[in-house]
Amino acid sequence: MPIKVTKILPEFTDTRGSITRLIDQNNIRIQSILWITSKKGSVRANHYHKKDYHYVYCVSGKFIYSEKDMQKPNGKISSVVLLPGDLVLTKPMILHSMEFLENTIFMAFTSETRKQKAYEKDTKRMQLVKS
């Protein structure tokens, strides 16, 4: 299944600036908001979550986001390049990774807490992309 990337653009602009709605939905309760910096050449994730849904929003930089559905053993790996203003939703049981092509800042909006003990219980580490 192809990765759905949403390009987020300002909804309102005037002389003061603009307003951009990143997320506006009722289906997923957001518990944590993370601001993450990543250096060019680094790899993050290489895991899936049992329960967590999370939105990933690229603030600056550029990275390859890849995923594979763990419920489809013969499923293919899908990849896209995310640029500033791009948003993707990672669902539970989706193995995902991020390879940073530039120094990057992104935000993650998660449905589960990111307190370390709970996070580790929900996370299964696997290698989708070599780091």
Side-chain angles (χ1 to χ4, degrees):
M1 176 168 50
I3 298 168
K4 181 183 178 202
V5 178
T6 303
K7 185 63 151 179
I8 307 295
L9 300 171
E11 289 183 29
F12 176 82
T13 302
D14 66 14
T15 57
R16 299 169 294 172
S18 62
I19 297 173
T20 303
R21 183 190 328 246
L22 299 182
I23 300 169
D24 189 4
Q25 49 76 46
N26 293 321
N27 299 329
I28 301 168
R29 185 184 79 196
I30 302 298
Q31 287 208 66
S32 290
I33 299 174
L34 309 167
W35 180 271
I36 302 170
T37 62
S38 299
K39 296 188 184 252
K40 178 181 179 178
S42 64
V43 174
R44 287 193 182 273
N46 270 337
H47 60 238
Y48 67 88
H49 301 284
K50 299 169 197 162
K51 298 188 301 182
D52 185 55
Y53 287 80
H54 62 270
Y55 288 95
V56 172
Y57 175 73
C58 183
V59 175
S60 66
K62 177 167 65 170
F63 61 100
I64 300 169
Y65 172 87
S66 300
E67 66 178 32
K68 179 180 185 227
D69 188 340
M70 296 306 295
Q71 297 178 73
K72 297 178 182 173
N74 297 324
K76 294 171 58 176
I77 297 171
S78 298
S79 299
V80 294
V81 174
L82 295 183
L83 301 169
D86 288 345
L87 179 83
V88 296
L89 173 62
T90 305
K91 296 179 180 178
M93 302 305 292
I94 301 295
L95 177 59
H96 55 283
S97 72
M98 300 170 206
E99 300 172 75
F100 297 92
L101 305 173
E102 299 176 358
N103 288 344
T104 298
I105 297 171
F106 71 95
M107 297 178 76
F109 303 85
T110 72
S111 68
E112 302 299 313
T113 182
R114 285 302 164 112
K115 292 179 181 164
Q116 199 62 33
K117 189 174 180 180
Y119 175 79
E120 292 300 333
K121 186 176 178 183
D122 186 54
T123 302
K124 173 72 173 159
R125 297 186 198 303
M126 299 180 74
Q127 191 163 22
L128 182 63
V129 172
K130 289 186 181 183
S131 46

